[in-house]
Amino acid sequence: MARVGVIAAALLIFGCSGSGARTAEEMANVAAREAETEAFNAQDPEFIERFYSEDLVYQSYGPWAPQGMTGNRESVKQGVAAGMRMFPDRRITVKSRVAEGDTVVEEVEWVGTASDQHPTLQEGEREVLRDIVFYRIRDGKIIEMREYAVAVSGVPSQEPEP
């Protein structure tokens, strides 16, 4: 839980900086994030090509990688494909968002119902993750993504069940 506290403090500090009015770059980056979220939630298998740069740098810490992992666009694409098989109804809800320059930071809730393809959950079990994700965006595409997620099993999602 200490990692979550540090991340929350960083988000608070990051969110308190700036003038409050978004620049044209920041508005474009938020629009790109909104479009990517919509495509993700629509289960669009091609959203990686549209929204992630070929030179993407990805880092994450989460239940799938407690010691951390790094990747690129291809590894993210493979991970998303596996996630779509394991959680065919997966979706994210943005709880808060901060934009500054080329960076967008989001607090999200990720929810999915396990299919028979999941290696550790029973079919029909719901997974709820709370995430803080830092995105750097260039020309409408994500060039860097740093994700910090925790599973909140036993805590009801704020989203209605399907």
Side-chain angles (χ1 to χ4, degrees):
M1 289 307 267
R3 183 183 301 155
V4 174
V6 170
I7 294 166
L11 184 61
L12 179 63
I13 291 166
F14 186 83
C16 291
S17 65
S19 66
R22 288 189 174 146
T23 66
E25 175 188 25
E26 292 162 352
M27 290 188 298
N29 291 339
V30 166
R33 285 295 312 124
E34 289 171 343
E36 189 271 346
T37 297
E38 185 177 307
F40 180 93
N41 287 342
Q43 317 302 327
D44 178 352
E46 302 300 317
F47 80 96
I48 297 290
E49 282 79 17
R50 289 200 324 271
F51 296 105
Y52 291 72
S53 72
E54 289 187 26
D55 59 345
L56 173 73
V57 175
Y58 173 70
Q59 295 177 301
S60 72
Y61 293 89
W64 59 90
Q67 302 304 313
M69 65 178 279
T70 60
N72 56 26
R73 187 168 91 163
E74 186 57 34
S75 63
V76 169
K77 185 175 180 178
Q78 291 171 9
V80 166
M84 289 174 80
R85 286 189 303 277
M86 290 186 283
F87 298 98
D89 67 342
R90 91 277 187 273
R91 65 179 289 107
I92 59 173
T93 302
V94 177
K95 300 299 183 182
S96 63
R97 176 183 288 131
V98 178
E100 187 171 295
D102 68 352
T103 302
V104 176
V105 180
E106 294 177 344
E107 172 192 14
V108 302
E109 180 178 82
W110 184 103
V111 178
T113 307
S115 73
D116 62 352
Q117 300 295 303
H118 199 283
T120 60
L121 296 176
Q122 297 295 316
E123 183 176 3
E125 282 187 87
R126 283 172 52 102
E127 175 88 292
V128 179
L129 302 172
R130 302 279 166 80
D131 250 339
I132 300 292
V133 188
F134 292 77
Y135 299 94
R136 284 191 49 236
I137 301 171
R138 177 183 62 222
D139 299 325
K141 291 200 174 201
I142 298 165
I143 61 171
E144 183 180 347
M145 181 176 169
R146 294 186 322 273
E147 177 177 31
Y148 305 88
V150 294
V152 289
S153 300
V155 176
S157 166
Q158 296 174 5
E159 295 299 308
E161 292 208 27

